[in-house]
Amino acid sequence: MEWLKNNALLLSVFVNILMLAVWVFYATLLYRDYRRRQRPRLIIHQSRGYSTNSICLLINMSQQHLNVECVMAVVHDSEKSYKRIVTSYDDISLESTPHEAEARLRQGPLSPGAFIPLGTFDDLLTDPQEGIPGTPLPADDVHTIEIRAVAAFGSEDKPVGARREFSVNTTGDSLQVRPAKHYTKQMSSRSERREVMEWLEECLRLA
């Protein structure tokens, strides 16, 4: 007891420092959780198997609304790449419901947890540069298809993006499409957003 009385001031300082450290620790956890919730997150997902009839979905896993501005499919064969704009910029009548407009345009506001079907991989594996639009590419030539998405997020000045690659392989007489990686690459850093801006400009040129 005598020692406690003699060192009361020192103990008080130590306890205050310890409490401050605990508060800083919890504040850091809360801030990290807040930043995680505010971070944009778009998922490019394959649904309904691995055939070319499987559906490609764009899912908003963010905590806020996103406005999808452009989706591009980049098909790589053994010699070159083909780019196809999945997003439509056609006029929509005032009588169209939001669901009809979203399904046709494949763009627009996307609430948290909602998704936009981008079509089947049969639709996406096309050669938009040569021949008749919508004609499937030769099966032996295609090896990869990359989906790129551009979206506006909250009050951010520059758009954010997401990309995911899928491998295309011939199995017997049919094509198999499978994710090349287990995750969708989020494009939200400063350098990545510059690349996303280039995607958007290219979308507008090709539309």
Side-chain angles (χ1 to χ4, degrees):
M1 293 298 295
E2 189 67 25
W3 184 88
L4 290 176
K5 290 179 181 179
N6 295 335
N7 296 277
L9 180 61
L10 180 62
L11 286 173
S12 177
V13 171
F14 175 76
V15 170
N16 288 334
I17 292 175
L18 183 61
M19 290 181 63
L20 178 62
V22 171
W23 278 110
V24 169
F25 174 74
Y26 279 106
T28 302
L29 290 181
L30 290 173
Y31 178 72
R32 287 181 177 176
D33 184 64
Y34 170 79
R35 287 295 303 272
R36 181 182 61 81
R37 290 176 178 274
Q38 297 300 311
R39 190 177 303 154
R41 186 168 177 80
L42 277 169
I43 302 298
I44 299 167
H45 177 66
Q46 183 181 16
S47 176
R48 209 174 68 180
Y50 298 108
S51 71
T52 54
N53 287 324
S54 60
I55 300 174
C56 188
L57 302 174
L58 182 64
I59 308 170
N60 179 17
M61 296 300 293
S62 312
Q63 296 294 318
Q64 297 185 30
H65 284 70
L66 285 168
N67 186 66
V68 179
E69 299 186 358
C70 171
V71 181
M72 178 190 300
V74 185
V75 180
H76 305 277
D77 66 15
S78 55
E79 296 182 355
K80 54 185 177 179
S81 299
Y82 306 88
K83 294 179 180 178
R84 176 176 183 267
I85 306 304
V86 180
T87 314
S88 173
Y89 294 91
D90 296 336
D91 291 333
I92 296 295
S93 68
L94 296 177
E95 289 76 22
S96 299
T97 65
H99 179 74
E100 290 171 341
E102 183 180 273
R104 179 175 173 183
L105 295 176
R106 293 170 180 154
Q107 66 176 141
L110 196 58
S111 58
F115 64 87
I116 294 176
L118 302 178
T120 67
F121 281 90
D122 264 332
D123 298 329
L124 300 172
L125 288 168
T126 58
D127 179 353
Q129 305 292 341
E130 301 174 3
I132 302 173
T135 302
L137 286 165
D140 294 338
D141 291 341
V142 179
H143 58 79
T144 306
I145 176 170
E146 178 186 352
I147 308 300
R148 301 173 178 175
V150 180
F153 179 74
S155 59
E156 301 283 349
D157 293 332
K158 292 185 178 180
V160 297
R163 71 195 311 169
R164 192 173 189 185
E165 286 190 355
F166 296 84
S167 299
V168 182
N169 301 294
T170 303
T171 304
D173 296 330
S174 62
L175 287 179
Q176 290 283 305
V177 181
R178 292 178 178 269
K181 293 185 178 180
H182 296 296
Y183 62 91
T184 302
K185 170 68 175 175
Q186 306 300 312
M187 307 285 288
S188 57
S189 70
R190 182 175 299 179
S191 60
E192 289 169 338
R193 290 192 185 197
R194 285 196 291 268
E195 184 177 357
V196 171
M197 281 295 297
E198 294 175 1
W199 294 354
L200 182 57
E201 291 170 2
E202 191 167 18
C203 275
L204 295 176
R205 285 198 305 268
L206 297 176

